[in-house]
């Protein structure tokens, strides 16, 4: 038996799940003494053999079905003469598992990725554009309410919609500490852009206000060059000149076009106020896009909308209290329209975000040009106002410039990829 002392025997256990376990059996000195004691007991007539089961505990990686079980059992070990042997088993930490085994030689076919629906991102962008156009139309139909009050009601309902989403996604209400200043600025510039757009729609023709507000992509490129150090080319300068030309054609200042102007709503003073408000709204929207680009994906989208609604509501309440413009809508119809504006605002922002997640920014920006076409259509159908050639020329300049910015970004991103 001296040859069996401290000897090792190696065995392999292979399961149905392609698991290979290698273990060693070691006979110790203490167990050898115990073996001699058992031998003496066997001499008194106890010839009955006992099976000893060695349980092996193995840990291995989960397979695709999620099963995490493997048990290894040692077999009966008997020395010469039928004597029983006590074993001390040591399990090495070598357990290999793979989808492909040398014995089978079978290859698992690669998993097929679900195919994306072509054009789904552009469809989402189209829905967002239609919703935003309808919002401008509804704002134009409401009478007796200041644009700031309309904005306050929209922000209030937007808070009600976003609050359960924040709780569900567990994003918190303040956001990351190093991003809070950007969230505050995003809420400030975004809410001011909304207020100025609504004010411009109330003071000037719907199409003219929409066209000027739509010029924000050009200003976004300039602000990104200033604050984000992005590249600015000669094309950006050309597009900026085209945009400013379109704004001038729509505004038609008297020192260029004379005192007698046609195609404006009310007096020229309101027209100038609306033009300045729309231009300021475009700048505010451009600042908002630059801030969102600065934050990137480090902040959840609903948290950004939450700051937009909260800061906008506080700002509107303070401003309307100072101006004394706070009053309730005249009839139930206007109240339902205000609620519809809030719902369409949430839907439009959601679809626009989904579109940017699926599709590149260039095609989405091109799809947003439909907003200009819809504004002229709504102005003609619902308000029976025919656009002037000056307005059409200005709209053409703005659409060409914004489309040029979108196409250039689309081309650059496609070339890099």
């Amino acid at each position: 038996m001296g040859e069996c002392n401290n000897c090792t025997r190696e065995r392999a256990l292979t399961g149905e799940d392609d698991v290979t376990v290698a273990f060693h059996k070691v006979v110790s000195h203490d167990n050898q003494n115990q073996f001699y004691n058992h031998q003496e007991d066997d001499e008194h007539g106890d010839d009955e053999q006992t099976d000893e089961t060695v349980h092996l505990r193995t840990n291995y990686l989960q397979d695709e079905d999620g099963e995490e079980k493997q048990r290894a059992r040692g077999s009966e070990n008997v020395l010469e003469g039928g004597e029983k042997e006590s074993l001390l088993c040591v399990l090495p930490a070598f357990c290999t598992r793979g989808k492909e085994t040398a014995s089978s030689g079978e290859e698992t076919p690669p998993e097929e990725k679900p195919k994306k629906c072509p054009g789904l991102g552009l469809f989402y962008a189209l829905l967002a554009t239609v919703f935003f156009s309808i919002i401008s139309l509804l704002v134009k139909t409401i009478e007796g309410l200041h644009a700031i009050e309309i904005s306050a009601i929209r922000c209030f309902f937007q808070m009600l919609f976003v609050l359960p989403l924040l709780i569900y996604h567990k994003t918190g209400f303040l956001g990351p500490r190093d991003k809070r200043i950007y969230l505050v600025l995003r809420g400030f510039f975004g809410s001011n852009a909304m207020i100025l757009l609504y004010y411009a729609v109330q003071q000037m023709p719907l199409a003219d206000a929409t066209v000027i507000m739509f010029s924000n992509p050009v200003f976004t490129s300039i602000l990104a060059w200033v604050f984000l150090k992005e590249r600015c080319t000669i094309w950006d300068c050309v597009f900026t000149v085209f945009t400013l030309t379109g704004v001038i054609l729509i505004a038609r200042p008297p020192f260029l076009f004379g005192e007698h102007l046609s195609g404006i709503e009310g007096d020229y003073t309101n027209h100038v106020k609306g033009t300045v408000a729309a231009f300021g709204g475009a700048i505010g929207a451009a600042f908002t896009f630059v801030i969102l680009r600065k934050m990137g994906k480090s902040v959840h989208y609903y948290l950004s909308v939450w700051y937009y609604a909260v800061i906008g509501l506080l700002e509107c309440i303070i401003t309307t209290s100072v101006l004394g413009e706070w009053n309730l809508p005249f009839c139930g119809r206007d109240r339902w329209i205000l609620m519809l504006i809030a719902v369409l605002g949430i839907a439009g922002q959601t679809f626009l975000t989904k579109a940017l997640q699926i599709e590149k920014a260039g095609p989405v920006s091109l799809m947003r040009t439909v907003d200009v076409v819809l504004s002229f259509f709504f102005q003609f159908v619902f308000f029976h106002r025919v656009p002037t050639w000056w307005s059409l020329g200005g709209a053409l300049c703005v659409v060409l410039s914004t489309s040029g910015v979108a196409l250039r970004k689309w081309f650059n991103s496609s070339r890099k990829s």
Side-chain angles (χ1 to χ4, degrees):
M1 297 299 295
E3 297 179 357
C4 295
N5 190 22
N6 294 329
C7 68
T8 56
R9 301 175 185 174
E10 183 173 344
R11 294 186 178 184
L13 176 64
T14 303
E16 295 179 359
D17 293 330
D18 301 336
V19 177
T20 302
V21 181
F23 63 94
H24 299 276
K25 298 186 298 183
V26 179
V27 180
S28 65
H29 291 284
D30 296 337
N31 293 331
Q32 185 178 5
N33 297 331
Q34 187 178 0
F35 165 73
Y36 289 128
N37 293 334
H38 284 297
Q39 190 177 18
E40 293 176 358
D41 294 339
D42 291 338
E43 291 177 355
H44 292 289
D46 187 6
D47 296 333
E48 192 174 354
Q49 299 180 359
T50 305
D51 295 343
E52 179 181 13
T53 304
V54 182
H55 296 276
L56 302 178
R57 301 178 62 187
T58 61
N59 294 322
Y60 55 94
L61 297 174
Q62 293 184 353
D63 59 359
E64 295 177 353
D65 298 330
E67 297 181 356
E68 292 184 352
K69 279 187 176 182
Q70 183 65 26
R71 294 180 180 178
R73 297 181 180 273
S75 60
E76 177 184 345
N77 297 283
V78 182
L79 297 177
E80 294 180 7
E83 288 85 5
K84 181 172 61 176
E85 179 184 28
S86 178
L87 302 176
L88 174 63
C89 295
V90 180
L91 177 66
F94 296 96
C95 179
T96 59
R97 179 182 185 85
K99 292 183 180 180
E100 299 180 5
T101 59
S103 60
S104 62
E106 297 179 356
E107 294 184 358
T108 304
E111 296 181 359
E112 295 183 357
K113 295 182 179 179
K115 297 181 179 180
K116 295 182 180 179
C117 179
L120 183 60
L122 296 179
F123 178 70
Y124 285 156
L126 178 61
L127 287 179
T129 301
V130 173
F131 289 157
F132 290 143
S133 300
I134 294 176
I135 288 175
S136 300
L137 174 64
L138 295 177
V139 171
K140 188 72 173 177
T141 58
I142 296 178
E143 298 179 358
L145 286 181
H146 199 276
I148 301 178
E149 186 176 355
I150 298 175
S151 303
I153 296 174
R154 174 182 169 176
C155 290
F156 173 74
F157 283 104
Q158 191 162 309
M159 284 178 56
L160 295 182
F161 281 108
V162 174
L163 182 61
L165 296 175
L166 290 177
I167 297 174
Y168 175 77
H169 290 282
K170 299 179 181 179
T171 59
F173 298 98
L174 298 179
R177 186 178 299 273
D178 58 335
K179 301 295 182 181
R180 291 175 185 174
I181 182 63
Y182 297 112
L183 287 169
V184 172
L185 292 175
R186 182 265 184 271
F188 176 77
F189 285 110
S191 59
N192 277 279
M194 174 185 60
I195 295 171
L196 292 174
L197 172 62
Y198 290 173
Y199 182 78
V201 168
Q202 289 182 339
Q203 299 298 324
M204 64 188 305
L206 175 63
D208 294 347
T210 303
V211 169
I212 297 175
M213 187 69 185
F214 187 73
S215 63
N216 66 81
V218 177
F219 301 119
T220 302
S221 301
I222 298 176
L223 293 176
W225 170 62
V226 174
F227 294 101
L228 302 181
K229 307 303 179 183
E230 294 185 0
R231 184 183 177 185
C232 183
T233 63
I234 187 64
W235 286 108
D236 293 317
C237 299
V238 173
F239 296 145
T240 303
V241 172
F242 264 85
T243 300
L244 295 178
T245 302
V247 173
I248 292 174
L249 291 177
I250 293 175
R252 285 175 287 170
F255 64 90
L256 291 178
F257 296 88
E259 296 292 338
H260 303 285
L261 301 176
S262 59
I264 62 174
E265 293 182 359
D267 55 2
Y268 185 74
T269 302
N270 292 335
H271 187 79
V272 172
K273 290 180 181 179
T275 302
V276 174
F279 191 79
I283 300 295
F287 269 107
T288 302
F289 293 143
V290 170
I291 294 171
L292 290 175
R293 190 179 301 176
K294 177 68 175 179
M295 291 189 298
K297 297 182 180 180
S298 59
V299 178
H300 199 279
Y301 167 73
Y302 287 121
L303 190 61
S304 175
V305 178
W306 170 258
Y307 269 85
Y308 170 84
V310 171
I311 295 178
L313 180 61
L314 294 176
E315 183 180 359
C316 291
I317 291 176
I318 295 174
T319 306
T320 51
S321 299
V322 172
L323 297 178
E325 295 287 343
W326 189 265
N327 53 10
L328 293 177
F330 293 124
C331 61
R333 169 181 168 273
D334 289 343
R335 298 174 186 178
W336 285 107
I337 290 178
L338 291 172
M339 295 181 62
L340 183 59
I341 289 174
V343 173
L344 291 178
I346 291 289
Q349 291 181 0
T350 302
F351 280 117
L352 182 59
T353 303
K354 295 292 293 183
L356 291 173
Q357 289 176 349
I358 299 174
E359 193 63 67
K360 294 181 179 180
V364 173
S365 299
L366 290 176
M367 186 60 67
R368 289 296 312 277
T369 57
V370 179
D371 195 357
V372 176
V373 179
L374 289 177
S375 64
F376 279 104
F377 175 77
F378 290 157
Q379 177 178 295
F380 178 77
V381 172
F382 294 97
F383 302 104
H384 307 289
R385 182 175 294 277
V386 180
T388 63
W389 288 106
W390 297 113
S391 296
L392 292 176
L396 181 62
C397 290
V398 173
V399 170
L400 287 177
S401 60
T402 54
S403 300
V405 171
L407 288 174
R408 188 178 66 85
K409 291 183 179 296
W410 187 9
F411 174 75
N412 291 337
S413 61
S414 300
R415 186 174 59 180
K416 290 180 181 179
S417 60

